[in-house]
Amino acid sequence: MPTPQPPQSTPSTSAEVLVDLIEQVDAAWQRDDAATAIRLLNAGLWPLFLDRPAELRRLLVPVPEDAAPPALLLAKRFALPVLDTPERIRLLATRPLDATPGQALDTPTDQGWRIAQRMIAHRLRGEFDESRDVAQRLRQHIETESTHEPAQLPQFLAAAYSQLGTTELLAGDTAAALADFRAALAATEGDTELGIRRDALIKQACALAMEGKLRDAEHVLVRAETERQPNNAYADRIRARTRLARALIAVERMDESAPELLSSLDHDLLFEYWPLVLLAEGRWRLATGNPAGALDLVDSATEHRPLPAGSLGLCVATFLREMAAEMLGMPPAAPVRDPESLPALCALGAVRAMIVRADPLVAVHAARSLAYRRGVGPSVRLEALLLTALALQRAGLPADERISSAAATVAREEGLWRPLAVVPASVRDELPVSPPAHVRYVVVVAPPPAVILTPREREVLAALASPDSLAQIAARLHVSVNTIKSQVRSLYRRMGVSSRHEAVAEATRLGLVSLRPSESRHPG
């Protein structure tokens, strides 16, 4: 008996092929021909998944798990058509993993499904290091063995890249996630029958909105509306993620629709995307003057969840905790860490903490470095620029027009107004930009000014601006050369510089010292 081909693009042909497929599978089960039934189901899995989920469930019931190819096994146990409750989805996170991914199975594509299944299982358990290790094996598999089955590649590649993107996003690598979502779309270019295209676009929109690339996110959402919406349980997840993307955008724009969108989010359907849900809800509470509520959200969301280092969940929780604690004037919950070693969102929280809990001069350097870090999105860049201005104010230093101008440009180009709501009005007043009329800001108290340099430190900085050597400076200040060297090293660390020339340039730019014409030359 010939194996039915996947349905063609026209609805009438698609329906005829599916009816014939279902009849043939029923006939095979009636005569106890499991091998033929399994072969037919394996060939028609995606068409049935997209258009006849109820029939697919019925036909999968008699499939023996010990003889099912991985794609059918995944569908029978855990695939999207049967994942209609969070409890059933979590089965994948609790069942034993296979001993080795990619065993000697029927086809290379079957092996790929098994590897993907293992990656998802690790991800659901919060084991992102293990999940990414398996993801690397899946990428290698895609590049080699799976290329031998071009007829099945669109379905497999689209699903595989979409899951790879989800893994990278939740592991904290947004750039890699966006690349995978684009690869999922490329794998199915021109094939409008695959609902995975719409889902990949929606996931892409969520990642873009999280980063503050609001115009791109809105464009992707418009594209998604032109793609097919599958008629199965997966459609509910796509709709839930669509609402999440729109909520993230509305929060960043401080749009009046944000509260309604946030209240409509289905936490059960979005359970794996909980860091993005937490980010949207937490950002809104902070922007509307409810930092205590933001802390409650973080506590509730993270109470029973693992937070591996570098993961999106940990970064979101750290970011919201630090912002809320700073707005409430709370003492630090953990030591302030070096932002340069942290992912962007975590770094933003660390910079926020540094402004009031550490040396404000160091905070100026850290905030400015984060604002211009390669690869950061507009949202983090704008917040870092605003924090640079705030740190300058706290240090009692003059405003930097370049910082204010850059912040205004980012806010204006993306329509990104939420970051302006979580800084004092004195910082917003420095920006050459006018927000839309609907944007309302709450009162954020500015941290008190701080004494950032002692008289002796200012004296040493001024001396560094002179042409004198360190020995001459030591003699003039009546201390040893070693003492001067120690004080200079301390100043370098605090100012984020590595040489005398850089220290003088930075001190002059910040207004910590003023150079007279006779002092404009000094040893390097």
Side-chain angles (χ1 to χ4, degrees):
M1 180 179 300
T3 300
Q5 297 301 311
Q8 303 303 311
S9 59
T10 60
S12 59
T13 304
S14 176
E16 292 170 0
V17 171
L18 288 177
V19 169
D20 183 54
L21 172 62
I22 292 168
E23 290 177 351
Q24 291 187 59
V25 175
D26 277 330
W29 285 129
Q30 289 173 9
R31 60 176 183 271
D32 294 327
D33 186 356
T36 298
I38 289 173
R39 187 174 68 253
L40 292 167
L41 284 170
N42 207 35
L45 178 60
W46 269 96
L48 287 169
F49 164 69
L50 291 172
D51 286 321
R52 304 292 180 92
E55 292 286 359
L56 177 61
R57 290 189 209 185
R58 179 180 65 79
L59 296 172
L60 284 173
V61 169
V63 172
E65 293 195 3
D66 58 353
L72 286 189
L73 183 61
L74 187 63
K76 182 178 173 64
R77 289 181 176 179
F78 314 107
L80 297 170
V82 298
L83 295 184
D84 46 14
T85 66
E87 291 72 24
R88 299 190 73 171
I89 297 174
R90 292 189 180 99
L91 288 174
L92 185 55
T94 56
R95 77 178 188 88
L97 292 173
D98 300 319
T100 57
Q103 301 171 5
L105 301 168
D106 295 347
T107 67
T109 297
D110 287 337
Q111 295 178 24
W113 281 117
R114 181 66 61 88
I115 299 172
Q117 182 181 358
R118 186 180 182 90
M119 176 188 70
I120 296 169
H122 280 302
R123 189 179 75 215
L124 288 171
R125 295 178 176 186
E127 300 165 351
F128 289 112
D129 286 342
E130 294 85 348
S131 184
R132 296 183 89 179
D133 286 343
V134 181
Q136 183 59 32
R137 173 159 186 176
L138 180 57
R139 294 182 195 279
Q140 294 170 353
H141 185 83
I142 288 172
E143 293 173 0
T144 55
E145 296 181 59
S146 294
T147 58
H148 296 292
E149 297 178 273
Q152 299 185 42
L153 277 182
Q155 296 91 336
F156 169 67
L157 290 181
Y161 275 120
S162 182
Q163 289 298 336
L164 283 167
T166 300
T167 297
E168 295 293 352
L169 178 64
L170 297 177
D173 192 338
T174 309
L178 289 169
D180 284 328
F181 295 144
R182 288 192 293 268
L185 293 169
T188 60
E189 193 66 43
D191 189 348
T192 58
E193 291 294 309
L194 291 175
I196 196 70
R197 287 183 59 81
R198 189 179 185 119
D199 188 41
L201 285 167
I202 296 302
K203 290 178 179 178
Q204 189 177 2
C206 287
L208 290 168
M210 176 190 73
E211 292 217 313
K213 298 176 181 177
L214 306 186
R215 294 183 184 277
D216 289 345
E218 289 172 327
H219 175 71
V220 170
L221 285 174
V222 171
R223 281 186 62 194
E225 292 297 325
T226 67
E227 298 292 344
R228 172 172 173 160
Q229 175 80 309
N231 182 26
N232 54 28
Y234 198 22
D236 292 337
R237 283 164 184 74
I238 294 177
R239 280 190 285 268
R241 285 194 278 264
T242 302
R243 285 193 292 271
L244 174 58
R246 297 194 185 283
L248 286 163
I249 294 171
V251 167
E252 293 300 83
R253 294 206 190 285
M254 293 293 288
D255 194 87
E256 295 174 342
S257 65
E260 181 180 354
L261 284 166
L262 291 171
S263 65
S264 72
L265 295 180
D266 191 319
H267 288 236
D268 285 341
L269 291 177
L270 294 168
F271 84 97
E272 197 175 7
Y273 276 64
W274 70 267
L276 292 181
V277 175
L278 175 62
L279 184 64
E281 294 179 337
R283 277 175 165 172
W284 183 253
R285 292 198 182 190
L286 292 175
T288 54
N290 186 10
L295 285 178
D296 290 340
L297 277 177
V298 175
D299 291 341
S300 175
T302 60
E303 185 177 4
H304 300 297
R305 286 189 169 102
L307 296 174
S311 67
L312 181 62
L314 176 63
C315 288
V316 169
T318 301
F319 163 69
L320 293 176
R321 282 188 192 281
E322 292 294 352
M323 287 193 65
E326 187 268 322
M327 291 173 69
L328 289 168
M330 296 172 59
V336 177
R337 294 187 292 168
D338 177 15
E340 291 189 6
S341 64
L342 300 173
L345 268 180
C346 287
L348 202 57
V351 168
R352 191 102 192 183
M354 292 175 71
I355 292 177
V356 292
R357 301 173 190 164
D359 190 325
L361 189 58
V362 176
V364 171
H365 169 70
R368 191 169 60 241
S369 297
L370 178 58
Y372 294 105
R373 181 191 292 185
R374 183 176 180 180
V376 301
S379 180
V380 169
R381 175 166 286 111
L382 177 55
E383 290 201 53
L385 289 167
L386 295 172
L387 291 181
T388 304
L390 180 60
L392 287 168
Q393 285 187 4
R394 183 171 186 263
L397 299 172
D400 188 329
E401 291 185 3
R402 293 171 299 177
I403 294 295
S404 300
S405 177
T409 298
V410 176
R412 188 185 304 111
E413 288 181 350
E414 293 291 347
L416 192 58
W417 306 114
R418 190 267 317 163
L420 276 66
V422 290
V423 292
S426 58
V427 174
R428 292 196 297 272
D429 291 343
E430 294 177 359
L431 305 185
V433 64
S434 298
H438 75 267
V439 178
R440 300 288 184 270
Y441 297 127
V442 298
V443 176
V444 178
V445 179
V451 177
I452 62 171
L453 293 179
T454 65
R456 167 60 67 158
E457 288 171 329
R458 287 183 177 272
E459 194 174 14
V460 171
L461 256 183
L464 289 176
S466 75
D468 295 341
S469 67
L470 291 183
Q472 291 171 319
I473 293 173
R476 176 149 50 92
L477 298 180
H478 307 292
V479 296
S480 69
V481 173
N482 286 337
T483 297
I484 284 294
K485 288 181 177 179
S486 175
Q487 291 173 338
V488 168
R489 285 194 297 269
S490 175
L491 282 171
Y492 285 1
R493 284 195 300 271
R494 295 179 62 191
M495 298 176 69
V497 299
S498 58
S499 71
R500 181 173 178 175
H501 175 78
E502 291 177 357
V504 173
E506 181 73 354
T508 304
R509 192 188 68 78
L510 294 174
L512 298 174
V513 298
S514 58
L515 286 179
R516 295 187 298 273
S518 60
E519 296 176 331
S520 60
R521 295 181 62 190
H522 58 79

